[in-house]
Amino acid sequence: MLDTLIVNIGQLLTMEGDGPVKGEQMKSLPLIEHAALGIKNGRVAWIGSNEEAEKMSASYIIDAEGKLVTPGLVDPHTHLVFAGSREHELSLKQQGISYLDILKQGGGILSTVRATRAASEEELYEKARGHLDRILSYGVTTVEAKSGYGLDVETELKQLRVAKRLNETHPVEVVSTFLGAHAIPLEYQNHPDAFLQQMVDLMDVMKRERLAEFVDIFCETGVFSVEQSRIFLQQAKEKGFAVKIHADEIDSLGGTELAVEVGAVSADHLVGASIAGIHQLAHSNTIAVLLPGTSFYLGKGTYANARAMIDQGAAVALATDFNPGSSPTENLQFIMTLAALYLRMTPEEIWHAVTINAAYAVNRGHEAGRIMIGRKADIVLWEAPNYMYVPYHYGINHVRMVLKNGKVVSERGKGDVSVS
Ligand code: IZC
Ligand code: ZN
């Protein structure tokens, strides 16, 4: 006897397969029509046709009403834990002041650093929990969360403790990344290497207290160079961390090549990635995490070359980059629309990019991003009639119900999500 049986599924995107999905393979979508799905002990226990489901018994039956059912989405790049907001930067941008100029003048990331240092751990937790509720409501069951708004020992630890507590108390799984190398704090402006050394020393505490799984760095003009990033990420690897990199987001510095060189699990942004960098990426195990919401919001009209990446064989994932400056949105479905329009990705490629490839970008490919027997039942029931409909009808939320580990954790029209 099953715990839960979902019947009358119009399209079930199982994403069944093995490993990350690369290049050409992203064009075909593993799906079953007129399907049903059984859950037991929080895991997928049975998959069959809607007719076969009549023979099955379960304590709880959900009618999908002929609509779409998919794996829970994975958002593999967010800056979830922060204080304050930066709406004033929108008008600065309209006046032609760039993102990097705002940062150079002590605003941008550094203004969020001031607010985050001043906030209590409880305030940070409550705010991030609200954002995480909204992330879940859009169908995301696993999210990556970066620190990087402390840039000092105390506040970086505070942010990561909040992420850990969210992982323990909220239905969404939160994968933590230490981004102490997000910007140079004002007190270290003339001593960036001393600052990086302090962040390297802090990694030992992160490891001991299991506060982060990944280490990341913002490799960008006026922030950290390729050379500084190489040394920093190598030190992180020596201390046992998996690494990520904010690579070629605004200027083309060679962060994409560096990601491949250091064996990063993911290289993120890649708007300015060189032809050579894309070629190397396509022949590596590094996942390309693209963030078209950031390109959209920076408003310069330049987007990552997703077509070249996929055509050459890379595994591409998509993320919101949710943060208070360059991408203030929790809506991964809107990112799917941007990927269709501006990255020229097909709906089939987009679904791989927000499920299994996104799961691999946070080292969760073995347990998230696919609906297969024995896997955790992280599942979204959609109001949408088919998978193409979600990126098409844009700017709204198409989710009807979200299950995490087999339990309903978010449901349209039933008030707030439960916090277990
Ligand atoms: O707060 O501006 N790009 N870091 C690198 C960000 C965007 C987040 C921010
Ligand atoms: Zn970022």
Side-chain angles (χ1 to χ4, degrees), residues 261-339:
E261 181 192 321
V262 300
V265 171
S266 74
D268 300 37
H269 287 290
L270 311 177
V271 176
S274 69
I275 302 288
I278 291 175
H279 182 80
Q280 290 174 29
L281 189 68
H283 293 88
S284 76
N285 291 324
T286 300
I287 308 282
V289 175
L290 306 185
L291 308 151
T294 310
S295 299
F296 170 76
Y297 203 73
L298 290 175
K300 295 196 298 183
T302 44
Y303 286 82
N305 193 349
R307 280 276 42 100
M309 292 173 200
I310 295 174
D311 293 346
Q312 291 193 35
V316 170
L318 289 162
T320 57
D321 195 14
F322 172 61
N323 76 71
S326 62
S327 191
T329 183
E330 298 94 337
N331 185 348
L332 190 56
Q333 295 169 45
F334 178 54
I335 303 303
M336 294 167 77
T337 299
L338 294 177

Side-chain angles (χ1 to χ4, degrees), residues 77-118:
H77 184 138
T78 83
H79 303 248
L80 176 66
V81 183
F82 61 88
S85 58
R86 299 194 340 229
E87 56 274 33
H88 57 283
E89 286 179 21
L90 190 53
S91 56
L92 294 178
K93 201 157 58 178
Q94 287 172 323
Q95 292 160 41
I97 307 172
S98 76
Y99 175 86
L100 289 178
D101 283 340
I102 295 170
L103 177 60
K104 212 187 293 172
Q105 291 161 16
I109 295 170
L110 294 177
S111 82
T112 304
V113 167
R114 283 188 287 278
T116 306
R117 286 179 178 180

Side-chain angles (χ1 to χ4, degrees), residues 228-248:
Q228 286 169 320
S229 302
R230 175 182 289 113
I231 295 167
F232 184 76
L233 294 177
Q234 273 164 352
Q235 287 171 306
K237 284 188 73 177
E238 278 160 24
K239 290 181 187 292
F241 291 94
V243 300
K244 293 174 166 285
I245 175 167
H246 280 68
D248 300 323

